[in-house]
Amino acid sequence: MSWFESFVLGLVQGLTEFLPISSSAHLRLTAAFAGWHDPGAAFTAITQIGTETAVLIYFRKDIARILSAWFRSLTDREMRSDHDAQMGWLVIVGSIPIGVLGLTLKDQIEGPFRDLRLIATTLIVMGIVLGVADRLAARDESGGRHRVVKERKTLKDLSVKDGLIYGFCQAMALIPGVSRSGATISGGLLMGYTRESAARYSFLLAIPAVLASGAYELKDVGEGHVSWGPTIFATLVAFFVGYAVIAWFMKFITTKSFMPFVIYRILLGILIFALVWSGALSPHAGESAG
C-alpha cells in the first residue's frame, strides 16, 4: 500500500465512519474503483481506532462521568440506581453480541462478506430500513392532522432488553454495507428513541467493540500488502477527519432527516449491481492480492 492510498483510505474512513452509509463498505469500494488491492478487514478495524479516538475526545465528559459512576457502583449499592452507572453496564451488555459474533464469523468477515454483491444488497436493504425508521420518527415528532405529537424515549428509558437489541443491531455491521451507526440508529428509532439518543448510545456502544477489534487485528499488520507505516498514517488521518464529522453529524441529526443518506445508499447499491452485472467490475475486485 502506498502513502497516497493510505491517505485516501484514511480520509474515506474519517468521512464515513459516523455517517449511516458504512465506512467498511466505502473502504472496500474505494479500493475496488481505484484498482487497488482490498485493504482488508484488519486495516479497516485498525483505522477505526482513529475515528473511535475522536469519539473518546468528543464525548469525554460523558465517558468520564459514566466510568466514574460505574466504578463506584461496584462497591456502593446506592450508586447502582444512578443513570450513569447503569449506562456503563448497558454498554457492556450491548457489546456482548458483536464480541461473540465477531469471533465466530471471523473467517466470513475477512472473506465472503467482502463480496461486492453482498455489499450492494446490504446498502440497499439497510437504506430502506433506515428510511422507514426515519419516517416513523418524523411522524412522532411532527404529529399531523389526525395525530398528536408522540413523545419518544431518551437514554434514561434504556433497559437491558433495549441495550441487547441495540447490540444485535451493531453486530449486523460485521457485514460491510450495513453501517454500525446506520444499524444501531435505525434500531433505536424503531424502538421509539429520539434521533439524538439513538445516535449518542450508538457512538458510546461502539467504543469497546471498535477498540477491542482494532487491538485484536494489530497482529495482522505487516502481512500481505499492508504495512505499519501507511496503516498508522491512515489512522491519524481518520482521527482528524472523523472528529470534524462527528461534531457536524451530532448537530445535523437534531434538525434534519436521514433521507439524503437513504437515497445515497440505495443509488450506490444500484450502481454497484449495474457495474457487476455489466462486467465492468468484478465482485471480488482486489481480493486475490489483498
Side-chain angles (χ1 to χ4, degrees):
M1 177 181 290
S2 70
W3 292 99
F4 177 71
E5 286 180 50
S6 68
F7 172 77
V8 172
L9 294 174
L11 184 64
V12 170
Q13 168 63 29
L15 286 171
T16 59
E17 172 66 18
F18 304 117
L19 305 182
I21 56 176
S22 179
S23 61
S24 57
H26 279 75
L27 289 175
R28 175 79 178 92
L29 291 170
T30 298
F33 288 154
W36 300 338
H37 299 327
D38 179 1
F43 177 87
T44 300
I46 293 168
T47 55
Q48 285 177 340
I49 293 177
T51 44
E52 213 54 40
T53 303
V55 173
L56 291 174
I57 294 175
Y58 186 84
F59 289 111
R60 61 189 179 280
K61 293 181 181 178
D62 291 17
I63 294 170
R65 194 176 63 248
I66 290 170
L67 285 175
S68 175
W70 181 79
F71 276 114
R72 282 184 288 157
S73 74
L74 297 177
T75 56
D76 186 346
R77 286 182 174 272
E78 293 183 1
M79 282 298 299
R80 294 173 189 175
S81 61
D82 181 84
H83 171 65
D84 288 326
Q86 292 175 345
M87 276 296 295
W89 286 111
L90 288 169
V91 168
I92 293 173
V93 168
S95 300
I96 294 174
I98 197 170
V100 173
L101 292 175
L103 291 173
T104 304
L105 301 174
K106 186 177 185 300
D107 291 340
Q108 287 75 19
I109 294 168
E110 296 176 348
F113 284 0
R114 301 184 74 77
D115 188 305
L116 295 182
R117 292 165 296 190
L118 177 60
I119 291 175
T121 301
T122 54
L123 282 169
I124 294 171
V125 172
M126 286 306 301
I128 294 172
V129 172
L130 178 61
V132 171
D134 184 66
R135 292 302 299 167
L136 291 174
R139 186 180 66 181
D140 288 349
E141 293 164 356
S142 62
R145 186 173 180 180
H146 303 292
R147 293 188 301 270
V148 296
V149 174
K150 181 179 178 181
E151 185 176 351
R152 303 203 118 225
K153 293 188 286 187
T154 68
L155 290 184
K156 290 185 177 181
D157 302 305
L158 189 64
S159 63
V160 172
K161 175 185 173 183
D162 287 356
L164 277 173
I165 293 174
Y166 266 112
F168 279 107
C169 290
Q170 177 179 236
M172 291 172 61
L174 292 169
I175 304 174
V178 170
S179 169
R180 186 191 310 274
S181 64
T184 50
I185 290 174
S186 294
L189 294 178
L190 291 172
M191 286 189 289
Y193 286 87
T194 65
R195 299 168 192 271
E196 185 177 3
S197 295
R200 186 172 291 269
Y201 185 62
S202 169
F203 293 148
L204 292 175
L205 185 61
I207 293 172
V210 170
L211 295 182
S213 175
Y216 179 79
E217 296 289 0
L218 286 174
K219 68 183 188 312
D220 293 332
V221 177
E223 297 182 3
H225 73 288
V226 180
S227 57
W228 273 105
T231 301
I232 293 174
F233 180 54
T235 303
L236 289 173
V237 172
F239 163 71
F240 288 109
V241 177
Y243 187 85
V245 171
I246 193 174
W248 170 82
F249 186 63
M250 290 305 294
K251 293 179 181 177
F252 175 89
I253 60 173
T254 59
T255 58
K256 305 293 184 181
S257 165
F258 287 116
M259 290 311 294
F261 302 115
V262 171
I263 295 170
Y264 172 77
R265 290 180 63 106
I266 293 174
L267 291 178
L268 180 59
I270 292 173
L271 174 63
I272 296 168
F273 271 129
L275 291 173
V276 171
W277 286 338
S278 68
L281 185 66
S282 167
H284 306 289
E287 283 185 1
S288 60

